[in-house]
């Protein structure tokens, strides 16, 4: 992989911030952005020290950054702080006491709201329940929950008493849960009887029971009642939350945590081997989540912020829970599926609650596109003022659809690039300042020294695709991989030593904008040209018949790799030989003959991780006709893999 990555797509559309948005934005001029960004790089300790002091420390820090143990950073050294106090106490004892913290809607249509005062009380109660069950500072607690307020409460309750949480997405299997419980050394599990998903009860307790078979270290399973289905019970170990809560005090002093104490573990699947427990500590993580939420989403009083991510992902940690609550914002939380009971459920929620900021993933946007323009058209979306995207490169087609049909051409779109490892948004537009372009995450956030480099670590000239790196530490960066410091050092800092590299390709254009090209493991190599799968996919999706596409390379004697495209079509389109030819021609015409797919395969769905990222690794094996040896524990739809293989005959 010594060559740079060729880039082939050109995007010239530009969208300056709408004047109406800009006129009341937190940051509204290029000069103001430049001044702040420059300060964040020229005087990082001054910059981050000042921002950090906006949070309520229980003991002031002595030093902003200690990088002497690189690549293991220490931020806000000597400071003591509690994440739950940052998110709750400062607001519950201040002017936001009666402001709503959480507006929640269950899939069946039930709703709940909790003010800051109420949430503070409930989290304190929850914390006392944990204590009563013997959970202590320094312990790790697994959380395996549906998207109900108790999921956020459980996280904050752990933080309150100094226990670290390890949230495992409720859609994961018992095996995946077990692996994470064991790796993290969790001593308690918080779960629910079930959650509502697509009109059905998604049972959680059976998975927990199966996961805990033969596991000796877990003394407590705390079960929140949500769906009231029957659950099996393991007396002594299992306890109903509501029973203990009824007796628990609603006062619980937050534990003063060292800035570098563990706040949480969150597992991400490595492409090979077992999942990695990404380590995030307290002070730096909070500062990153706090500042990015404030500026990227231009938060102001009266906003209703809806980040659609499940709390099982980093996006749910940073932009459902910690970032918005640290800022005293009101969040919307929704339990269920986006299209239950109607395809317009999301837009009905926006209308019903008057959501002002909406943050979702490209995979969701492409699903909505496929359902048809008439679906969002039925709802009043005039409360929206800002849209966000995260999780994958957003293809310009989806960006434009989002802009037109959801933002109604009034709302800026922030395409935010970041990772579980970065903890908070790292490359992003600032909505009152940045001229956006469909497909570009634009510029680095404050304190992020991002660059595109070649194999030797030399910065590449504009418009050459290469490796995306961050050249210095930032407060919310991961502190390591749980139990495996070497894997951290080698995996992220091994390639360049002094620069962080987490596996994405990108190019930077002459105006300094970043265009993320996707994971470097996914790069195609056709006749010596390195092409990004994302660009070929983008071109396919720009064809009117295509809903979604995933492109992989299949070994080819002549060209090295031949392009195989897996394609789902939009409603009403008949897939067939004629369309295959048309699509090949379309790509050849848009990008060049080089990118012409050798093969198009129609499918009813693409294999995705449970957070919606396309698993090209699996498609590569399908395209090459070989068995998959890598980790498949994160795939959303097992049966699909068989269907994809069956198509080969
Ligand atoms: C937040 C999150 C991280 C990977 C990352 C990228 C991809 C995320 C964007 C993006 C292009 C974006 N954390 N990615 N956001 N690619 N543009 N705006 O998703 O750990 O689950 O994934 O996701 O490849 O490395 S994550």
């Amino acid at each position: 992989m010594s060559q740079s990555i060729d880039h082939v797509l050109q995007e010239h559309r530009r969208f300056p911030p709408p004047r109406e948005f800009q006129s009341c934005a937190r940051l509204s001029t290029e000069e103001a952005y430049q001044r702040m960004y420059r300060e964040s790089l020229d005087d990082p300790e001054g910059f981050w020290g000042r921002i950090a002091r906006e949070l309520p420390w229980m003991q002031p820090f002595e030093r902003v950054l200690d990088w002497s143990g690189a690549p293991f950073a220490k931020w806000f050294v000597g400071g003591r702080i509690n994440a739950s106090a940052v998110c709750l106490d400062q607001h519950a004892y201040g002017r936001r006491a009666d402001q709503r913290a959480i507006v929640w809607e269950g899939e069946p249509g039930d709703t709940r709201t909790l003010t800051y005062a109420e949430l503070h009380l409930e989290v304190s109660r929850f914390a006392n329940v944990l204590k009563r069950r013997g959970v202590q500072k320094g312990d790790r607690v697994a959380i395996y929950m549906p998207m109900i307020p108790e999921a956020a409460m459980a996280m904050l309750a752990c933080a309150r008493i100094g226990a670290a949480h390890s949230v495992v997405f409720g859609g994961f299997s018992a095996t995946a849960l077990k692996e994470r419980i064991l790796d993290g050394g969790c001593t308690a599990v918080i779960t629910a009887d079930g959650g509502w998903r697509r009109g059905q009860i998604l049972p959680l307790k059976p998975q927990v029971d199966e996961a805990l078979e033969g596991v000796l270290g877990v003394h407590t399973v705390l079960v929140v009642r949500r769906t009231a289905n029957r659950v099996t019970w393991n007396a002594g170990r299992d306890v109903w939350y509501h029973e203990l809560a009824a007796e628990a005090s609603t006062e619980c002093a937050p534990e003063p945590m060292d800035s570098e104490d563990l706040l949480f573990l969150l597992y991400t699947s490595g492409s090979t081997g077992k999942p990695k427990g990404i380590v995030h500590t307290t002070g730096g993580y909070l500062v990153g989540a706090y500042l990015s939420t404030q500026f990227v989403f231009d938060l102001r009083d009266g906003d209703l912020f809806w980040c659609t991510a499940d709390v099982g992902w980093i996006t749910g940690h940073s932009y459902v829970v910690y970032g918005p609550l640290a800022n005293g914002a009101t969040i919307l939380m929704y339990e269920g599926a986006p299209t239950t009971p109607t395809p317009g459920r999301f837009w009905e929620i926006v209308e019903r609650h008057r959501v002002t900021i909406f943050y979702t993933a490209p995979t969701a946007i492409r699903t909505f596109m496929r359902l048809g323009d008439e679906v969002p058209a039925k709802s009043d979306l005039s409360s929206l003022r800002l849209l966000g995207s995260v999780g994958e490169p957003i293809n310009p087609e989806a960006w434009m659809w989002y802009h037109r049909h959801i933002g109604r051409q009034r709302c800026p779109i922030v395409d935010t690039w970041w990772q579980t490892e970065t903890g908070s948004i790292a490359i992003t537009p600032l909505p009152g300042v940045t001229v956006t372009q469909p497909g570009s995450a634009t510029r680095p956030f404050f304190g992020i020294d991002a660059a595109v480099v070649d194999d030797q670590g030399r910065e590449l000239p504009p418009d050459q695709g290469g490796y995306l790196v961050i050249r210095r530490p930032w407060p919310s960066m991961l502190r390591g991989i749980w139990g495996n410091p070497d894997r951290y050092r080698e995996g992220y800092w091994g390639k360049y030593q002094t620069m962080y590299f987490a596996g994405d390709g990108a190019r930077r254009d002459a105006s300094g904008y970043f265009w993320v090209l996707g994971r470097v493991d996914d790069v195609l190599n056709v006749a010596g040209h390195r092409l990004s799968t994302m660009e070929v996919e983008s071109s396919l999706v720009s064809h009117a018949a295509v809903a979604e596409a995933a492109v992989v390379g299949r070994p080819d004697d002549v060209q090295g790799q031949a392009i195989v495209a897996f394609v789902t079509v939009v409603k009403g389109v008949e897939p067939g030989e004629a369309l295959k030819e048309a699509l090949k021609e379309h790509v050849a015409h848009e990008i060049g003959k080089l990118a012409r797919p050798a093969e198009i395969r129609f499918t009813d769905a693409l294999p995705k991780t449970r957070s919606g990222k396309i698993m090209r690794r699996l498609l590569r094996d399908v395209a090459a006709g070989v068995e998959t040896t890598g980790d498949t524990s994160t795939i959303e739809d097992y049966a699909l893999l068989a269907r994809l293989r069956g198509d080969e005959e």
Side-chain angles (χ1 to χ4, degrees):
M1 290 237 230
S2 56
Q3 268 176 287
S4 66
I5 305 168
D6 297 333
H7 90 92
V8 286
L9 282 188
Q10 285 290 351
E11 174 60 58
H12 297 294
R13 288 170 288 201
R14 286 165 191 281
F15 297 85
R19 197 155 308 154
E20 197 193 324
F21 186 96
Q22 198 166 33
S23 65
C24 27
R26 193 171 274 277
L27 212 60
S28 59
T29 66
E30 177 66 15
E31 296 68 50
Y33 161 76
Q34 289 293 348
R35 206 179 320 120
M36 239 176 120
Y37 183 66
R38 233 173 295 122
E39 189 212 348
S40 77
L41 292 195
D42 294 348
D43 178 19
E45 307 219 358
F47 178 85
W48 287 116
R50 191 182 74 238
I51 302 296
R53 277 182 211 100
E54 293 176 14
L55 298 182
W57 292 82
M58 298 162 120
Q59 183 179 297
F61 47 88
E62 287 141 25
R63 232 180 122 184
V64 171
L65 170 65
D66 177 0
W67 189 229
S68 60
F72 297 91
K74 290 196 173 106
W75 282 90
F76 312 113
V77 182
R80 294 197 162 261
I81 194 164
N82 180 286
S84 139
V86 169
C87 292
L88 301 173
D89 301 41
Q90 61 165 333
H91 311 308
Y93 293 126
R95 69 179 171 94
R96 298 193 193 273
D98 298 323
Q99 184 200 305
R100 297 172 309 171
I102 300 182
V103 176
W104 174 82
E105 193 170 303
E107 194 184 75
D110 44 341
T111 60
R112 260 174 94 184
T113 56
L114 289 136
T115 64
Y116 271 98
E118 290 164 343
L119 185 61
H120 176 250
L121 200 130
E122 291 303 334
V123 168
S124 302
R125 192 199 309 272
F126 210 124
N128 284 325
V129 168
L130 292 175
K131 276 188 179 170
R132 161 95 189 271
R133 289 297 304 185
V135 178
Q136 292 178 350
K137 180 173 177 175
D139 289 353
R140 273 89 52 212
V141 175
I143 297 178
Y144 186 66
M145 296 272 269
M147 279 294 279
I148 56 177
E150 284 81 0
M153 287 177 202
M155 293 164 73
L156 292 164
C158 288
R160 196 161 189 88
I161 64 173
H165 53 74
S166 170
V167 184
V168 179
F169 174 54
F172 273 135
S173 66
T175 318
L177 176 61
K178 182 186 205 113
E179 189 175 29
R180 286 158 178 75
I181 289 171
L182 288 173
D183 186 84
C186 295
T187 53
V189 178
I190 306 172
T191 188
D193 47 1
W196 289 100
R197 192 81 194 167
R198 296 192 186 92
Q200 310 220 309
I201 292 174
L202 175 79
L204 293 166
K205 183 67 170 45
Q207 270 70 262
V208 173
D209 291 339
E210 191 185 329
L212 292 182
E213 268 167 36
V215 174
L216 298 175
V218 173
H219 57 68
T220 292
V221 174
L222 191 56
V223 188
V224 173
R225 193 158 69 189
R226 161 65 182 142
T227 42
N229 49 310
R230 284 184 71 93
V231 291
T232 52
W233 212 248
N234 187 324
R237 186 196 71 185
D238 300 351
V239 281
W240 282 110
Y241 175 69
H242 63 267
E243 288 180 2
L244 293 190
E247 301 160 8
S249 152
T250 53
E251 260 169 61
C252 175
E255 194 66 34
M257 303 299 288
D258 188 278
S259 179
E260 283 301 332
D261 276 340
L262 182 64
L263 178 60
F264 64 84
L265 299 178
L266 186 59
Y267 285 82
T268 71
S269 53
S271 50
T272 52
K274 62 173 189 153
K276 306 179 271 196
I278 302 299
V279 171
H280 281 290
T281 58
T282 311
Y285 172 78
L286 286 171
V287 170
Y290 163 77
L291 187 75
S292 58
T293 309
Q294 192 174 100
F295 280 91
V296 175
F297 299 106
D298 186 50
L299 272 188
R300 61 179 85 137
D301 283 346
D303 270 324
L304 181 58
F305 182 73
W306 186 13
C307 165
T308 68
D310 190 280
V311 290
W313 316 118
I314 190 67
T315 309
H317 283 60
S318 303
Y319 301 107
V320 175
V321 181
Y322 290 109
L325 297 183
N327 280 285
T330 305
I331 60 163
L332 189 128
M333 243 177 125
Y334 168 60
E335 176 186 34
T339 52
T340 304
T342 62
R345 181 65 186 266
F346 265 25
W347 319 122
E348 291 156 20
I349 292 175
V350 168
E351 174 176 333
R352 186 156 41 245
H353 300 283
R354 306 226 35 95
V355 171
T356 61
I357 306 169
F358 181 76
Y359 188 33
T360 198
T363 177
I365 299 167
R366 290 190 298 260
T367 304
F368 298 133
M369 284 173 76
R370 193 176 179 180
L371 293 171
D373 305 351
E374 64 285 1
V375 177
K378 291 196 192 105
S379 295
D380 173 6
L381 303 181
S382 61
S383 58
L384 290 173
R385 62 181 194 91
L386 177 62
L387 304 176
S389 169
V390 59
E392 279 183 296
I394 178 166
N395 46 300
E397 205 64 19
W399 197 104
M400 289 304 300
W401 187 89
Y402 200 27
H403 171 69
R404 288 201 184 107
H405 297 279
I406 306 304
R408 310 266 160 94
Q409 313 199 52
R410 297 178 295 104
C411 304
I413 297 177
V414 286
D415 172 3
T416 62
W417 178 89
W418 59 295
Q419 309 176 299
T420 304
E421 293 87 341
T422 67
S424 57
I425 293 168
I427 303 181
T428 178
L430 294 177
V433 175
T434 315
V435 177
T436 54
Q437 288 195 262
S440 175
T442 76
R443 301 187 288 200
F445 188 63
F446 304 127
I448 300 292
D449 184 12
V452 175
V453 301
D454 69 10
D455 225 27
Q456 268 70 55
R458 289 173 300 224
E459 187 160 11
L460 285 165
D463 282 330
Q464 279 203 31
Y467 301 95
L468 178 58
V469 296
I470 304 177
R471 295 182 287 202
R472 59 168 84 184
W474 63 100
S476 66
M477 68 192 289
L478 76 167
R479 299 299 193 267
I481 295 173
W482 184 251
N484 203 340
D486 293 339
R487 192 169 175 197
Y488 166 66
R489 203 195 311 268
E490 280 147 33
Y492 299 97
W493 298 86
K495 191 170 170 71
Y496 301 115
Q497 275 78 52
T498 60
M499 299 190 283
Y500 167 85
F501 173 59
D504 281 3
R507 79 181 157 93
R508 197 171 192 180
D509 69 18
S511 64
Y513 279 21
F514 286 83
W515 300 76
V516 177
L517 298 167
R519 308 290 301 168
V520 293
D521 315 335
D522 289 338
V523 166
L524 302 162
N525 195 330
V526 183
H529 294 271
R530 292 176 31 86
L531 300 172
S532 137
T533 53
M534 183 274 289
E535 294 194 312
V536 183
E537 289 159 7
S538 244
S539 155
L540 282 162
V541 176
S542 73
H543 189 284
V546 176
E548 220 171 1
V551 159
V552 297
R554 159 171 36 84
D556 182 274
D557 291 344
V558 180
Q559 295 196 299
Q561 282 186 342
I563 296 178
V564 179
F566 293 81
V567 169
T568 64
V569 295
V570 296
K571 215 173 50 189
V573 166
E574 211 25 68
E577 290 309 312
L579 182 57
K580 285 187 181 175
E581 278 317 300
L583 292 179
K584 289 179 188 175
E585 273 318 301
H586 176 76
V587 175
H589 177 77
E590 276 232 323
I591 299 183
K593 284 209 187 72
L594 189 73
R596 190 179 206 277
E599 191 183 341
I600 305 268
R601 293 197 190 189
F602 293 113
T603 167
D604 59 339
L606 297 173
K608 292 184 184 170
T609 65
R610 287 158 199 264
S611 65
K613 294 187 210 301
I614 297 171
M615 297 178 85
R616 294 182 191 75
R617 177 164 62 77
L618 299 184
L619 290 176
R620 270 199 297 276
D621 294 341
V622 173
V626 301
E627 279 301 311
T628 296
T629 49
D631 174 26
T632 53
S633 74
T634 57
I635 190 172
E636 192 216 339
D637 177 2
Y638 281 100
L640 173 63
L641 208 55
R643 292 209 296 287
L644 286 164
R645 291 192 183 285
D647 285 351
E648 283 170 55
E649 265 93 79

